[in-house]
mmCIF file of all heavy atoms in Angstrom:
data_model
loop_
_atom_site.group_PDB
_atom_site.id
_atom_site.type_symbol
_atom_site.label_atom_id
_atom_site.label_comp_id
_atom_site.label_asym_id
_atom_site.label_seq_id
_atom_site.Cartn_x
_atom_site.Cartn_y
_atom_site.Cartn_z
ATOM 1 N N MET A 1 128.637 55.484 -95.011
ATOM 2 C CA MET A 1 128.579 55.186 -96.436
ATOM 3 C C MET A 1 128.014 56.372 -97.204
ATOM 4 O O MET A 1 128.409 56.598 -98.354
ATOM 5 C CB MET A 1 127.698 53.947 -96.661
ATOM 6 C CG MET A 1 127.721 53.470 -98.068
ATOM 7 S SD MET A 1 129.381 52.951 -98.537
ATOM 8 C CE MET A 1 129.015 52.012 -99.927
ATOM 9 N N ASP A 2 127.155 57.152 -96.608
ATOM 10 C CA ASP A 2 126.570 58.317 -97.281
ATOM 11 C C ASP A 2 127.655 59.345 -97.634
ATOM 12 O O ASP A 2 127.574 60.042 -98.601
ATOM 13 C CB ASP A 2 125.487 58.969 -96.440
ATOM 14 C CG ASP A 2 124.243 58.125 -96.376
ATOM 15 O OD1 ASP A 2 124.031 57.298 -97.301
ATOM 16 O OD2 ASP A 2 123.465 58.262 -95.398
ATOM 17 N N TYR A 3 128.654 59.449 -96.743
ATOM 18 C CA TYR A 3 129.723 60.405 -96.988
ATOM 19 C C TYR A 3 130.524 60.061 -98.232
ATOM 20 O O TYR A 3 131.038 60.945 -98.920
ATOM 21 C CB TYR A 3 130.619 60.580 -95.765
ATOM 22 C CG TYR A 3 131.334 59.323 -95.333
ATOM 23 C CD1 TYR A 3 132.570 58.987 -95.845
ATOM 24 C CD2 TYR A 3 130.747 58.474 -94.392
ATOM 25 C CE1 TYR A 3 133.197 57.850 -95.478
ATOM 26 C CE2 TYR A 3 131.402 57.329 -93.995
ATOM 27 C CZ TYR A 3 132.631 57.023 -94.539
ATOM 28 O OH TYR A 3 133.277 55.851 -94.142
ATOM 29 N N LEU A 4 130.670 58.774 -98.522
ATOM 30 C CA LEU A 4 131.378 58.375 -99.746
ATOM 31 C C LEU A 4 130.588 58.761 -100.973
ATOM 32 O O LEU A 4 131.161 59.256 -101.954
ATOM 33 C CB LEU A 4 131.641 56.872 -99.727
ATOM 34 C CG LEU A 4 132.700 56.377 -98.768
ATOM 35 C CD1 LEU A 4 132.795 54.856 -98.831
ATOM 36 C CD2 LEU A 4 134.046 56.981 -99.063
ATOM 37 N N VAL A 5 129.308 58.572 -100.933
ATOM 38 C CA VAL A 5 128.443 58.964 -102.062
ATOM 39 C C VAL A 5 128.477 60.477 -102.278
ATOM 40 O O VAL A 5 128.477 60.969 -103.403
ATOM 41 C CB VAL A 5 127.000 58.458 -101.833
ATOM 42 C CG1 VAL A 5 126.061 58.988 -102.925
ATOM 43 C CG2 VAL A 5 126.957 56.941 -101.798
ATOM 44 N N ALA A 6 128.592 61.229 -101.188
ATOM 45 C CA ALA A 6 128.640 62.675 -101.250
ATOM 46 C C ALA A 6 129.955 63.166 -101.849
ATOM 47 O O ALA A 6 130.017 64.251 -102.430
ATOM 48 C CB ALA A 6 128.415 63.301 -99.887
ATOM 49 N N LEU A 7 131.021 62.388 -101.730
ATOM 50 C CA LEU A 7 132.334 62.785 -102.249
ATOM 51 C C LEU A 7 132.507 62.465 -103.712
ATOM 52 O O LEU A 7 133.427 62.996 -104.372
ATOM 53 C CB LEU A 7 133.432 62.122 -101.434
ATOM 54 C CG LEU A 7 133.634 62.634 -100.006
ATOM 55 C CD1 LEU A 7 134.692 61.814 -99.321
ATOM 56 C CD2 LEU A 7 133.996 64.098 -100.011
ATOM 57 N N ILE A 8 131.706 61.577 -104.260
ATOM 58 C CA ILE A 8 131.876 61.160 -105.660
ATOM 59 C C ILE A 8 131.856 62.321 -106.653
ATOM 60 O O ILE A 8 132.737 62.379 -107.517
ATOM 61 C CB ILE A 8 130.827 60.073 -106.034
ATOM 62 C CG1 ILE A 8 131.176 58.776 -105.295
ATOM 63 C CG2 ILE A 8 130.809 59.843 -107.515
ATOM 64 C CD1 ILE A 8 130.170 57.675 -105.464
ATOM 65 N N PRO A 9 130.903 63.273 -106.567
ATOM 66 C CA PRO A 9 130.957 64.399 -107.539
ATOM 67 C C PRO A 9 132.221 65.226 -107.415
ATOM 68 O O PRO A 9 132.783 65.658 -108.424
ATOM 69 C CB PRO A 9 129.725 65.228 -107.181
ATOM 70 C CG PRO A 9 128.813 64.291 -106.475
ATOM 71 C CD PRO A 9 129.683 63.313 -105.767
ATOM 72 N N SER A 10 132.692 65.459 -106.239
ATOM 73 C CA SER A 10 133.916 66.248 -106.041
ATOM 74 C C SER A 10 135.123 65.494 -106.613
ATOM 75 O O SER A 10 135.980 66.111 -107.259
ATOM 76 C CB SER A 10 134.144 66.526 -104.571
ATOM 77 O OG SER A 10 133.117 67.342 -104.069
ATOM 78 N N VAL A 11 135.225 64.230 -106.319
ATOM 79 C CA VAL A 11 136.331 63.434 -106.860
ATOM 80 C C VAL A 11 136.272 63.381 -108.368
ATOM 81 O O VAL A 11 137.283 63.526 -109.072
ATOM 82 C CB VAL A 11 136.314 62.021 -106.259
ATOM 83 C CG1 VAL A 11 137.366 61.127 -106.938
ATOM 84 C CG2 VAL A 11 136.608 62.089 -104.758
ATOM 85 N N GLY A 12 135.107 63.208 -108.939
ATOM 86 C CA GLY A 12 134.938 63.190 -110.384
ATOM 87 C C GLY A 12 135.328 64.500 -111.022
ATOM 88 O O GLY A 12 136.006 64.514 -112.060
ATOM 89 N N THR A 13 134.910 65.588 -110.421
ATOM 90 C CA THR A 13 135.260 66.902 -110.923
ATOM 91 C C THR A 13 136.751 67.153 -110.851
ATOM 92 O O THR A 13 137.373 67.688 -111.771
ATOM 93 C CB THR A 13 134.499 67.998 -110.147
ATOM 94 O OG1 THR A 13 133.119 67.769 -110.250
ATOM 95 C CG2 THR A 13 134.826 69.373 -110.693
ATOM 96 N N GLY A 14 137.372 66.746 -109.747
ATOM 97 C CA GLY A 14 138.796 66.858 -109.586
ATOM 98 C C GLY A 14 139.554 66.057 -110.620
ATOM 99 O O GLY A 14 140.559 66.525 -111.213
ATOM 100 N N LEU A 15 139.100 64.867 -110.905
ATOM 101 C CA LEU A 15 139.723 64.001 -111.910
ATOM 102 C C LEU A 15 139.589 64.632 -113.301
ATOM 103 O O LEU A 15 140.563 64.671 -114.060
ATOM 104 C CB LEU A 15 139.104 62.616 -111.905
ATOM 105 C CG LEU A 15 139.696 61.604 -112.905
ATOM 106 C CD1 LEU A 15 141.131 61.337 -112.614
ATOM 107 C CD2 LEU A 15 138.890 60.306 -112.835
ATOM 108 N N LEU A 16 138.445 65.152 -113.615
ATOM 109 C CA LEU A 16 138.216 65.811 -114.895
ATOM 110 C C LEU A 16 139.133 67.046 -115.025
ATOM 111 O O LEU A 16 139.751 67.235 -116.079
ATOM 112 C CB LEU A 16 136.750 66.196 -115.056
ATOM 113 C CG LEU A 16 136.366 66.862 -116.374
ATOM 114 C CD1 LEU A 16 136.595 65.876 -117.521
ATOM 115 C CD2 LEU A 16 134.901 67.268 -116.332
ATOM 116 N N PHE A 17 139.212 67.824 -113.973
ATOM 117 C CA PHE A 17 140.092 68.989 -113.980
ATOM 118 C C PHE A 17 141.543 68.580 -114.200
ATOM 119 O O PHE A 17 142.244 69.185 -115.013
ATOM 120 C CB PHE A 17 139.956 69.735 -112.648
ATOM 121 C CG PHE A 17 140.873 70.954 -112.507
ATOM 122 C CD1 PHE A 17 140.528 72.104 -113.171
ATOM 123 C CD2 PHE A 17 142.008 70.884 -111.745
ATOM 124 C CE1 PHE A 17 141.362 73.220 -113.069
ATOM 125 C CE2 PHE A 17 142.844 71.992 -111.639
ATOM 126 C CZ PHE A 17 142.535 73.150 -112.290
ATOM 127 N N TYR A 18 141.991 67.540 -113.538
ATOM 128 C CA TYR A 18 143.357 67.036 -113.701
ATOM 129 C C TYR A 18 143.632 66.645 -115.140
ATOM 130 O O TYR A 18 144.654 66.969 -115.723
ATOM 131 C CB TYR A 18 143.601 65.871 -112.748
ATOM 132 C CG TYR A 18 144.892 65.149 -113.029
ATOM 133 C CD1 TYR A 18 146.095 65.687 -112.613
ATOM 134 C CD2 TYR A 18 144.912 63.926 -113.701
ATOM 135 C CE1 TYR A 18 147.287 65.026 -112.868
ATOM 136 C CE2 TYR A 18 146.101 63.271 -113.960
ATOM 137 C CZ TYR A 18 147.283 63.814 -113.543
ATOM 138 O OH TYR A 18 148.450 63.157 -113.816
ATOM 139 N N LEU A 19 142.678 65.920 -115.726
ATOM 140 C CA LEU A 19 142.871 65.458 -117.105
ATOM 141 C C LEU A 19 142.944 66.595 -118.115
ATOM 142 O O LEU A 19 143.737 66.595 -119.044
ATOM 143 C CB LEU A 19 141.754 64.473 -117.494
ATOM 144 C CG LEU A 19 141.769 63.137 -116.733
ATOM 145 C CD1 LEU A 19 140.537 62.311 -117.115
ATOM 146 C CD2 LEU A 19 143.039 62.364 -117.040
ATOM 147 N N VAL A 20 142.098 67.630 -117.901
ATOM 148 C CA VAL A 20 142.096 68.775 -118.793
ATOM 149 C C VAL A 20 143.392 69.531 -118.689
ATOM 150 O O VAL A 20 144.004 69.931 -119.689
ATOM 151 C CB VAL A 20 140.878 69.662 -118.516
ATOM 152 C CG1 VAL A 20 140.984 70.997 -119.220
ATOM 153 C CG2 VAL A 20 139.585 68.966 -118.924
ATOM 154 N N ILE A 21 143.839 69.796 -117.457
ATOM 155 C CA ILE A 21 145.088 70.533 -117.261
ATOM 156 C C ILE A 21 146.282 69.754 -117.814
ATOM 157 O O ILE A 21 147.177 70.326 -118.486
ATOM 158 C CB ILE A 21 145.287 70.872 -115.768
ATOM 159 C CG1 ILE A 21 144.222 71.806 -115.282
ATOM 160 C CG2 ILE A 21 146.705 71.440 -115.537
ATOM 161 C CD1 ILE A 21 144.173 73.150 -116.008
ATOM 162 N N ARG A 22 146.269 68.441 -117.622
ATOM 163 C CA ARG A 22 147.360 67.625 -118.148
ATOM 164 C C ARG A 22 147.372 67.682 -119.691
ATOM 165 O O ARG A 22 148.448 67.756 -120.309
ATOM 166 C CB ARG A 22 147.192 66.167 -117.698
ATOM 167 C CG ARG A 22 148.387 65.301 -118.049
ATOM 168 C CD ARG A 22 148.242 63.930 -117.505
ATOM 169 N NE ARG A 22 147.250 63.221 -118.310
ATOM 170 C CZ ARG A 22 147.022 61.931 -118.260
ATOM 171 N NH1 ARG A 22 147.696 61.181 -117.441
ATOM 172 N NH2 ARG A 22 146.129 61.357 -119.059
ATOM 173 N N ALA A 23 146.185 67.691 -120.305
ATOM 174 C CA ALA A 23 146.117 67.809 -121.784
ATOM 175 C C ALA A 23 146.687 69.136 -122.251
ATOM 176 O O ALA A 23 147.397 69.203 -123.252
ATOM 177 C CB ALA A 23 144.701 67.590 -122.261
ATOM 178 N N PHE A 24 146.374 70.232 -121.532
ATOM 179 C CA PHE A 24 146.906 71.555 -121.879
ATOM 180 C C PHE A 24 148.430 71.573 -121.778
ATOM 181 O O PHE A 24 149.101 72.080 -122.633
ATOM 182 C CB PHE A 24 146.324 72.628 -120.961
ATOM 183 C CG PHE A 24 144.912 73.013 -121.275
ATOM 184 C CD1 PHE A 24 144.135 73.599 -120.315
ATOM 185 C CD2 PHE A 24 144.363 72.775 -122.515
ATOM 186 C CE1 PHE A 24 142.824 73.997 -120.574
ATOM 187 C CE2 PHE A 24 143.049 73.140 -122.796
ATOM 188 C CZ PHE A 24 142.274 73.771 -121.813
ATOM 189 N N VAL A 25 148.938 71.019 -120.681
ATOM 190 C CA VAL A 25 150.372 70.989 -120.483
ATOM 191 C C VAL A 25 151.080 70.189 -121.563
ATOM 192 O O VAL A 25 152.108 70.603 -122.108
ATOM 193 C CB VAL A 25 150.708 70.498 -119.050
ATOM 194 C CG1 VAL A 25 152.217 70.243 -118.907
ATOM 195 C CG2 VAL A 25 150.230 71.480 -118.006
ATOM 196 N N ASN A 26 150.526 69.035 -121.872
ATOM 197 C CA ASN A 26 151.120 68.184 -122.922
ATOM 198 C C ASN A 26 151.067 68.876 -124.299
ATOM 199 O O ASN A 26 152.045 68.797 -125.075
ATOM 200 C CB ASN A 26 150.456 66.809 -122.989
ATOM 201 C CG ASN A 26 150.848 65.942 -121.833
ATOM 202 O OD1 ASN A 26 151.881 66.142 -121.205
ATOM 203 N ND2 ASN A 26 149.990 64.984 -121.514
ATOM 204 N N ALA A 27 149.980 69.546 -124.590
ATOM 205 C CA ALA A 27 149.842 70.239 -125.874
ATOM 206 C C ALA A 27 150.887 71.368 -125.941
ATOM 207 O O ALA A 27 151.507 71.567 -126.969
ATOM 208 C CB ALA A 27 148.440 70.787 -126.035
ATOM 209 N N ASP A 28 151.043 72.097 -124.859
ATOM 210 C CA ASP A 28 152.033 73.185 -124.809
ATOM 211 C C ASP A 28 153.442 72.625 -125.003
ATOM 212 O O ASP A 28 154.239 73.191 -125.751
ATOM 213 C CB ASP A 28 151.910 73.936 -123.492
ATOM 214 C CG ASP A 28 152.858 75.109 -123.435
ATOM 215 O OD1 ASP A 28 152.784 75.993 -124.318
ATOM 216 O OD2 ASP A 28 153.718 75.151 -122.513
ATOM 217 N N ARG A 29 153.736 71.535 -124.337
ATOM 218 C CA ARG A 29 155.064 70.911 -124.448
ATOM 219 C C ARG A 29 155.345 70.486 -125.888
ATOM 220 O O ARG A 29 156.427 70.727 -126.434
ATOM 221 C CB ARG A 29 155.178 69.698 -123.500
ATOM 222 C CG ARG A 29 156.512 69.047 -123.546
ATOM 223 C CD ARG A 29 156.577 67.845 -122.639
ATOM 224 N NE ARG A 29 156.206 68.160 -121.274
ATOM 225 C CZ ARG A 29 155.291 67.513 -120.551
ATOM 226 N NH1 ARG A 29 154.650 66.467 -121.068
ATOM 227 N NH2 ARG A 29 154.999 67.888 -119.318
ATOM 228 N N ASN A 30 154.352 69.870 -126.513
ATOM 229 C CA ASN A 30 154.509 69.380 -127.903
ATOM 230 C C ASN A 30 154.664 70.597 -128.857
ATOM 231 O O ASN A 30 155.445 70.532 -129.798
ATOM 232 C CB ASN A 30 153.302 68.564 -128.317
ATOM 233 C CG ASN A 30 153.279 67.253 -127.598
ATOM 234 O OD1 ASN A 30 154.261 66.789 -127.071
ATOM 235 N ND2 ASN A 30 152.085 66.642 -127.531
ATOM 236 N N GLU A 31 153.932 71.669 -128.605
ATOM 237 C CA GLU A 31 154.030 72.851 -129.478
ATOM 238 C C GLU A 31 155.407 73.478 -129.350
ATOM 239 O O GLU A 31 156.040 73.884 -130.313
ATOM 240 C CB GLU A 31 152.949 73.866 -129.124
ATOM 241 C CG GLU A 31 152.963 75.062 -130.016
ATOM 242 C CD GLU A 31 151.843 76.054 -129.709
ATOM 243 O OE1 GLU A 31 151.096 75.828 -128.743
ATOM 244 O OE2 GLU A 31 151.762 77.058 -130.425
ATOM 245 N N ARG A 32 155.894 73.567 -128.118
ATOM 246 C CA ARG A 32 157.237 74.162 -127.908
ATOM 247 C C ARG A 32 158.318 73.306 -128.581
ATOM 248 O O ARG A 32 159.249 73.855 -129.172
ATOM 249 C CB ARG A 32 157.544 74.298 -126.401
ATOM 250 C CG ARG A 32 156.768 75.400 -125.724
ATOM 251 C CD ARG A 32 157.002 75.405 -124.210
ATOM 252 N NE ARG A 32 156.157 76.298 -123.544
ATOM 253 C CZ ARG A 32 156.491 77.520 -123.143
ATOM 254 N NH1 ARG A 32 157.696 77.945 -123.393
ATOM 255 N NH2 ARG A 32 155.637 78.286 -122.527
ATOM 256 N N GLU A 33 158.173 72.003 -128.522
ATOM 257 C CA GLU A 33 159.148 71.120 -129.173
ATOM 258 C C GLU A 33 159.093 71.302 -130.685
ATOM 259 O O GLU A 33 160.130 71.349 -131.348
ATOM 260 C CB GLU A 33 158.837 69.668 -128.810
ATOM 261 C CG GLU A 33 159.753 68.639 -129.440
ATOM 262 C CD GLU A 33 161.175 68.723 -128.952
ATOM 263 O OE1 GLU A 33 161.412 69.294 -127.884
ATOM 264 O OE2 GLU A 33 162.072 68.235 -129.678
ATOM 265 N N ALA A 34 157.906 71.383 -131.242
ATOM 266 C CA ALA A 34 157.753 71.585 -132.681
ATOM 267 C C ALA A 34 158.359 72.938 -133.121
ATOM 268 O O ALA A 34 159.042 73.037 -134.148
ATOM 269 C CB ALA A 34 156.296 71.526 -133.091
ATOM 270 N N LEU A 35 158.121 73.982 -132.346
ATOM 271 C CA LEU A 35 158.709 75.317 -132.659
ATOM 272 C C LEU A 35 160.212 75.276 -132.552
ATOM 273 O O LEU A 35 160.909 75.896 -133.362
ATOM 274 C CB LEU A 35 158.108 76.376 -131.742
ATOM 275 C CG LEU A 35 156.652 76.743 -131.997
ATOM 276 C CD1 LEU A 35 156.145 77.697 -130.924
ATOM 277 C CD2 LEU A 35 156.497 77.352 -133.369
ATOM 278 N N ARG A 36 160.733 74.561 -131.555
ATOM 279 C CA ARG A 36 162.185 74.453 -131.418
ATOM 280 C C ARG A 36 162.788 73.784 -132.625
ATOM 281 O O ARG A 36 163.804 74.219 -133.195
ATOM 282 C CB ARG A 36 162.548 73.662 -130.164
ATOM 283 C CG ARG A 36 164.037 73.642 -129.882
ATOM 284 C CD ARG A 36 164.368 72.711 -128.700
ATOM 285 N NE ARG A 36 163.985 71.324 -128.934
ATOM 286 C CZ ARG A 36 164.719 70.459 -129.674
ATOM 287 N NH1 ARG A 36 165.829 70.850 -130.240
ATOM 288 N NH2 ARG A 36 164.308 69.216 -129.840
ATOM 289 N N LYS A 37 162.142 72.706 -133.099
ATOM 290 C CA LYS A 37 162.642 72.021 -134.288
ATOM 291 C C LYS A 37 162.588 72.921 -135.532
ATOM 292 O O LYS A 37 163.512 72.897 -136.349
ATOM 293 C CB LYS A 37 161.852 70.729 -134.542
ATOM 294 C CG LYS A 37 162.172 69.632 -133.547
ATOM 295 C CD LYS A 37 161.370 68.404 -133.805
ATOM 296 C CE LYS A 37 161.683 67.326 -132.767
ATOM 297 N NZ LYS A 37 160.851 66.101 -132.999
ATOM 298 N N LEU A 38 161.518 73.673 -135.683
ATOM 299 C CA LEU A 38 161.403 74.584 -136.832
ATOM 300 C C LEU A 38 162.468 75.647 -136.774
ATOM 301 O O LEU A 38 163.091 75.995 -137.803
ATOM 302 C CB LEU A 38 160.019 75.249 -136.846
ATOM 303 C CG LEU A 38 158.891 74.383 -137.316
ATOM 304 C CD1 LEU A 38 157.538 75.111 -137.144
ATOM 305 C CD2 LEU A 38 159.031 73.990 -138.775
ATOM 306 N N ASP A 39 162.762 76.182 -135.584
ATOM 307 C CA ASP A 39 163.790 77.195 -135.442
ATOM 308 C C ASP A 39 165.152 76.615 -135.779
ATOM 309 O O ASP A 39 165.965 77.264 -136.462
ATOM 310 C CB ASP A 39 163.810 77.757 -134.001
ATOM 311 C CG ASP A 39 162.658 78.685 -133.728
ATOM 312 O OD1 ASP A 39 161.997 79.131 -134.698
ATOM 313 O OD2 ASP A 39 162.378 78.951 -132.523
ATOM 314 N N GLU A 40 165.427 75.420 -135.309
ATOM 315 C CA GLU A 40 166.717 74.777 -135.612
ATOM 316 C C GLU A 40 166.873 74.560 -137.118
ATOM 317 O O GLU A 40 167.949 74.769 -137.670
ATOM 318 C CB GLU A 40 166.850 73.462 -134.857
ATOM 319 C CG GLU A 40 167.113 73.602 -133.398
ATOM 320 C CD GLU A 40 167.185 72.231 -132.681
ATOM 321 O OE1 GLU A 40 166.975 71.196 -133.327
ATOM 322 O OE2 GLU A 40 167.436 72.248 -131.460
ATOM 323 N N GLU A 41 165.810 74.115 -137.745
ATOM 324 C CA GLU A 41 165.837 73.872 -139.192
ATOM 325 C C GLU A 41 166.082 75.176 -139.945
ATOM 326 O O GLU A 41 166.851 75.217 -140.911
ATOM 327 C CB GLU A 41 164.549 73.228 -139.656
ATOM 328 C CG GLU A 41 164.517 72.870 -141.104
ATOM 329 C CD GLU A 41 163.193 72.188 -141.500
ATOM 330 O OE1 GLU A 41 162.652 71.413 -140.687
ATOM 331 O OE2 GLU A 41 162.743 72.463 -142.608
ATOM 332 N N ALA A 42 165.406 76.245 -139.505
ATOM 333 C CA ALA A 42 165.587 77.539 -140.145
ATOM 334 C C ALA A 42 167.022 78.029 -139.997
ATOM 335 O O ALA A 42 167.617 78.569 -140.941
ATOM 336 C CB ALA A 42 164.595 78.537 -139.585
ATOM 337 N N LEU A 43 167.591 77.863 -138.829
ATOM 338 C CA LEU A 43 168.978 78.291 -138.589
ATOM 339 C C LEU A 43 169.924 77.441 -139.435
ATOM 340 O O LEU A 43 170.923 77.966 -139.985
ATOM 341 C CB LEU A 43 169.331 78.138 -137.110
ATOM 342 C CG LEU A 43 168.763 79.203 -136.174
ATOM 343 C CD1 LEU A 43 169.064 78.837 -134.708
ATOM 344 C CD2 LEU A 43 169.293 80.548 -136.512
ATOM 345 N N ARG A 44 169.646 76.185 -139.565
ATOM 346 C CA ARG A 44 170.507 75.292 -140.392
ATOM 347 C C ARG A 44 170.448 75.727 -141.847
ATOM 348 O O ARG A 44 171.503 75.841 -142.508
ATOM 349 C CB ARG A 44 170.041 73.844 -140.246
ATOM 350 C CG ARG A 44 171.123 72.829 -140.403
ATOM 351 C CD ARG A 44 170.689 71.410 -140.094
ATOM 352 N NE ARG A 44 169.984 71.278 -138.819
ATOM 353 C CZ ARG A 44 168.767 70.819 -138.640
ATOM 354 N NH1 ARG A 44 168.058 70.435 -139.701
ATOM 355 N NH2 ARG A 44 168.216 70.730 -137.428
ATOM 356 N N LYS A 45 169.272 76.012 -142.376
ATOM 357 C CA LYS A 45 169.135 76.476 -143.746
ATOM 358 C C LYS A 45 169.855 77.795 -143.979
ATOM 359 O O LYS A 45 170.505 78.024 -144.968
ATOM 360 C CB LYS A 45 167.644 76.588 -144.145
ATOM 361 C CG LYS A 45 166.979 75.258 -144.376
ATOM 362 C CD LYS A 45 165.544 75.468 -144.828
ATOM 363 C CE LYS A 45 164.854 74.164 -145.053
ATOM 364 N NZ LYS A 45 163.450 74.328 -145.452
ATOM 365 N N GLU A 46 169.694 78.695 -142.970
ATOM 366 C CA GLU A 46 170.304 79.998 -143.077
ATOM 367 C C GLU A 46 171.827 79.889 -143.099
ATOM 368 O O GLU A 46 172.499 80.556 -143.882
ATOM 369 C CB GLU A 46 169.859 80.891 -141.914
ATOM 370 C CG GLU A 46 170.390 82.316 -141.956
ATOM 371 C CD GLU A 46 169.874 83.114 -140.777
ATOM 372 O OE1 GLU A 46 168.663 83.055 -140.496
ATOM 373 O OE2 GLU A 46 170.708 83.794 -140.164
ATOM 374 N N SER A 47 172.367 79.013 -142.267
ATOM 375 C CA SER A 47 173.823 78.883 -142.240
ATOM 376 C C SER A 47 174.313 78.229 -143.519
ATOM 377 O O SER A 47 175.393 78.550 -143.991
ATOM 378 C CB SER A 47 174.250 78.080 -141.007
ATOM 379 O OG SER A 47 173.829 76.722 -141.108
ATOM 380 N N GLN A 48 173.577 77.322 -144.099
ATOM 381 C CA GLN A 48 173.965 76.707 -145.357
ATOM 382 C C GLN A 48 173.938 77.721 -146.493
ATOM 383 O O GLN A 48 174.806 77.743 -147.367
ATOM 384 C CB GLN A 48 173.040 75.520 -145.701
ATOM 385 C CG GLN A 48 173.260 74.314 -144.835
ATOM 386 C CD GLN A 48 172.308 73.179 -145.106
ATOM 387 O OE1 GLN A 48 171.385 73.341 -145.906
ATOM 388 N NE2 GLN A 48 172.489 72.059 -144.450
ATOM 389 N N GLU A 49 172.917 78.599 -146.501
ATOM 390 C CA GLU A 49 172.838 79.629 -147.538
ATOM 391 C C GLU A 49 173.983 80.619 -147.383
ATOM 392 O O GLU A 49 174.504 81.111 -148.360
ATOM 393 C CB GLU A 49 171.494 80.362 -147.463
ATOM 394 C CG GLU A 49 170.302 79.492 -147.879
ATOM 395 C CD GLU A 49 168.972 80.157 -147.633
ATOM 396 O OE1 GLU A 49 168.969 81.302 -147.121
ATOM 397 O OE2 GLU A 49 167.957 79.542 -147.961
ATOM 398 N N THR A 50 174.359 80.936 -146.146
ATOM 399 C CA THR A 50 175.430 81.877 -145.909
ATOM 400 C C THR A 50 176.745 81.300 -146.379
ATOM 401 O O THR A 50 177.573 81.996 -146.974
ATOM 402 C CB THR A 50 175.514 82.228 -144.407
ATOM 403 O OG1 THR A 50 174.225 82.705 -143.992
ATOM 404 C CG2 THR A 50 176.585 83.273 -144.128
ATOM 405 N N ARG A 51 176.984 80.014 -146.123
ATOM 406 C CA ARG A 51 178.251 79.396 -146.547
ATOM 407 C C ARG A 51 178.303 79.256 -148.081
ATOM 408 O O ARG A 51 179.347 79.341 -148.653
ATOM 409 C CB ARG A 51 178.372 78.003 -145.926
ATOM 410 C CG ARG A 51 178.884 78.092 -144.465
ATOM 411 C CD ARG A 51 179.138 76.701 -143.975
ATOM 412 N NE ARG A 51 177.932 76.276 -143.294
ATOM 413 C CZ ARG A 51 177.661 75.028 -142.941
ATOM 414 N NH1 ARG A 51 178.502 74.067 -143.248
ATOM 415 N NH2 ARG A 51 176.570 74.742 -142.296
ATOM 416 N N GLY A 52 177.122 79.029 -148.682
ATOM 417 C CA GLY A 52 177.101 78.840 -150.116
ATOM 418 C C GLY A 52 177.259 80.121 -150.911
ATOM 419 O O GLY A 52 177.648 80.116 -152.066
ATOM 420 N N ALA A 53 176.939 81.230 -150.287
ATOM 421 C CA ALA A 53 176.943 82.516 -151.027
ATOM 422 C C ALA A 53 178.295 83.139 -151.100
ATOM 423 O O ALA A 53 179.286 82.882 -150.712
ATOM 424 C CB ALA A 53 176.024 83.506 -150.358
#
């Protein structure tokens, strides 16, 4: 039973590390998606301006 108590800090640290890395990856994914949408919108506006001119 003592070995289980000894593993608790390592498991807790591993879980915390996993959660932090997952948050970074999700934030990066969301930022890339937002940038992709902005780029598409800018290209759409540019093509509309080109056709209108």
Side-chain angles (χ1 to χ4, degrees):
M1 187 63 162
D2 289 336
Y3 60 89
L4 288 177
V5 174
L7 289 176
I8 289 174
S10 296
V11 171
T13 303
L15 180 63
L16 183 62
F17 178 76
Y18 170 76
L19 293 174
V20 168
I21 295 300
R22 189 176 73 168
F24 285 158
V25 170
N26 286 338
D28 183 59
R29 182 181 305 129
N30 292 339
E31 182 178 3
R32 287 175 188 261
E33 179 67 20
L35 289 173
R36 184 186 63 80
K37 286 180 182 178
L38 284 173
D39 287 344
E40 286 178 357
E41 183 179 324
L43 286 173
R44 210 174 308 121
K45 285 181 180 180
E46 183 178 314
S47 68
Q48 287 176 355
E49 290 173 359
T50 305
R51 280 187 266 165

